[in-house]
Amino acid sequence: MEGPFKYIREGNGKVTRVIRMGTRKSQLARIQTDSVAEKLKELYPDLQLEIVAMSTIGDKILDTALSKIGEKSLFTKELENALERNEVDLVVHSLKDLPTSLPPGFTIGAVLQRENPHDAVVLHPKNAGLTLDGLPEKSVIGTSSLRRAAQLKKRFPQLEFENIRGNLNTRLRKLDEKDDYAAIILAAAGLKRMGWETRISQVLGPEDCMYAVGQGALAIEVRARDRDILEMVSILHHPDTVLRCIAERAFLKQLEGGCSVPVAVYTEMKNSVLYLTGAVYSLDGSDCLKETMQTNIELDNKVPESAEENVHVGITANNISQTALDAAERLGVVLAKILLSKGAKDILTTARQLNDAR
């Protein structure tokens, strides 16, 4: 029983393997990891789990806008290093933090059922009861996301948008204890998981603000060679969420977008048809390219011929129809190519340059 894994001997002499779960230290990350641990314990009652929390670059650099740090894997690198060194066996992430290309040797073994993927408005207590439309002119809205700012500047030109950083607790404290912001924009999913739903004044629909790729979904990253762990977590895959997120990630990857450019999506699965709306924006939202496409999703029993064949934008899903996965990925690629043919590259390059120059 030598090797990289950790084992414990129980009182009855039985030896059990311990599965070590890596997570960021923030309260939200811990809540998300605990929820995954609970699901695994329900499915595998004999499983021994240990949670290993660590800080990432994104947690440490709190005075700079994420889009300016210029690192694709801000919230994931340290966790992946631990995975590589066999210090943990799997890592729980917010899928939107994971780059569309993972380092060699890693794969996403499960994408769990998506929470509400939309963004939410959280108002300063003095503005209780209002919506963004009802706020006084020149009110300052805090958001750390170029995607949110670009869309909302276009939709609410009377408001002003400023950067706000920190984890959820920090941002809410900055909002409540100072008078700098009339409201802040946060992901509805995080607020709900933290039990702060009562703070949501307004959920922004796709006509106001489309969401980030993968927003609202949790992902479990594993070592691609650990077939047993891959099989163990794959039961947590939520097929609709997987297909929607593969289309979204393929769209982003084809555009070569990341944290430093405003790219937004909206997906829906209805009656075996997957709909994807994708858009790119200039930083001020004045330039926008937006298109919607759909594809039929057929859930047949076609299985992959090789392990490599079954990885779609970093996600391994052996228990979901290969035909369906291929169709979802193709949808994202084709939609991105349409936007690129209409000039998306120029919009994104300008946005990137302007952001770097700030």
Side-chain angles (χ1 to χ4, degrees):
M1 275 191 322
E2 287 305 304
F5 305 125
K6 179 175 176 180
Y7 294 87
I8 54 169
R9 189 176 295 278
E10 294 180 27
N12 58 7
K14 191 173 141 196
V15 174
T16 312
R17 179 170 166 192
V18 180
I19 304 293
R20 298 155 302 172
M21 303 174 69
T23 175
R24 287 166 61 191
K25 277 184 173 165
S26 77
Q27 189 186 353
L28 177 60
R30 290 300 305 260
I31 287 171
Q32 292 179 166
T33 303
D34 289 346
S35 77
V36 173
E38 263 169 50
K39 287 188 170 71
L40 286 171
K41 287 292 273 186
E42 274 168 30
L43 291 162
Y44 308 103
D46 292 340
L47 203 58
Q48 294 290 332
L49 296 172
E50 183 183 299
I51 292 176
V52 181
M54 56 197 89
S55 291
T56 64
I57 305 168
D59 295 312
K60 291 170 186 161
I61 305 176
L62 291 175
D63 53 354
T64 312
L66 291 179
S67 58
K68 298 283 286 181
I69 304 173
E71 165 69 69
K72 261 213 180 96
S73 44
L74 282 177
F75 294 112
T76 58
K77 207 181 192 92
E78 282 80 358
L79 297 164
E80 285 174 340
N81 289 345
L83 200 53
E84 191 165 23
R85 291 192 298 261
N86 282 310
E87 290 164 9
V88 296
D89 302 301
L90 57 90
V91 176
V92 179
H93 299 281
S94 292
L95 180 58
K96 73 171 180 180
D97 291 338
L98 277 170
T100 50
S101 298
L102 298 182
F106 300 121
T107 191
I108 297 165
V111 178
L112 285 74
Q113 183 164 6
R114 198 173 209 167
E115 186 52 80
N116 180 342
H118 294 281
D119 289 317
V121 179
V122 180
L123 293 168
H124 188 287
K126 70 177 183 202
N127 295 317
L130 295 176
T131 60
L132 287 183
D133 265 326
L135 287 172
E137 211 166 304
K138 297 263 186 280
S139 290
V140 176
I141 312 299
T143 172
S144 55
S145 151
L146 297 179
R147 171 190 59 79
R148 289 173 184 148
Q151 292 181 83
L152 296 172
K153 279 175 187 172
K154 188 180 169 75
R155 172 74 180 75
F156 303 98
Q158 74 281 17
L159 302 176
E160 300 196 346
F161 294 86
E162 284 186 13
N163 197 46
I164 184 169
R165 280 289 322 276
N167 59 35
L168 276 185
N169 311 53
T170 309
R171 287 191 230 179
L172 279 176
R173 200 166 55 245
K174 283 181 182 174
L175 171 71
D176 291 344
E177 292 176 7
K178 294 185 179 162
D179 240 352
D180 299 354
Y181 306 100
I184 57 176
I185 313 293
L186 299 167
L191 288 162
K192 188 169 178 192
R193 290 186 185 121
M194 292 285 274
W196 293 338
E197 269 176 293
T198 52
R199 289 302 309 263
I200 297 176
S201 323
Q202 179 183 4
V203 173
L204 296 167
E207 61 292 335
D208 287 334
C209 191
M210 297 201 304
Y211 41 81
V213 166
Q215 185 159 314
L218 296 182
I220 302 176
E221 188 178 19
V222 299
R223 291 178 288 267
R225 65 172 188 273
D226 283 354
R227 291 285 145 196
D228 52 343
I229 298 232
L230 200 50
E231 195 169 323
M232 178 188 83
V233 300
S234 70
I235 197 166
L236 296 175
H237 267 313
H238 181 252
D240 273 17
T241 304
V242 172
L243 294 166
R244 287 170 62 189
C245 290
I246 282 176
E248 293 171 19
R249 284 172 65 83
F251 172 72
L252 183 64
K253 185 177 183 178
Q254 190 68 34
L255 286 174
E256 292 180 9
C259 232
S260 55
V261 289
V263 174
V265 292
Y266 173 73
T267 47
E268 230 180 340
M269 183 77 97
K270 274 198 306 215
N271 306 325
S272 300
V273 179
L274 175 59
Y275 298 86
L276 168 65
T277 302
V280 301
Y281 301 88
S282 58
L283 290 187
D284 65 359
S286 59
D287 261 358
C288 163
L289 283 172
K290 182 171 164 183
E291 292 288 339
T292 303
M293 279 186 72
Q294 65 195 67
T295 189
N296 290 326
I297 294 293
E298 289 173 39
L299 296 170
D300 61 17
N301 296 322
K302 185 178 171 218
V303 291
E305 287 177 18
S306 71
E308 288 71 40
E309 206 187 302
N310 208 30
V311 182
H312 295 76
V313 273
I315 297 170
T316 301
N318 294 325
N319 50 351
I320 297 175
S321 151
Q322 187 65 26
T323 309
L325 297 170
D326 288 342
E329 183 166 5
R330 211 164 35 242
L331 178 66
V333 170
V334 172
L335 186 65
K337 284 182 172 169
I338 289 173
L339 290 190
L340 288 167
S341 74
K342 294 186 171 186
K345 196 83 173 164
D346 292 344
I347 293 178
L348 292 177
T349 303
T350 306
R352 204 177 262 119
Q353 287 167 345
L354 282 172
N355 186 56
D356 290 346
R358 277 179 175 178

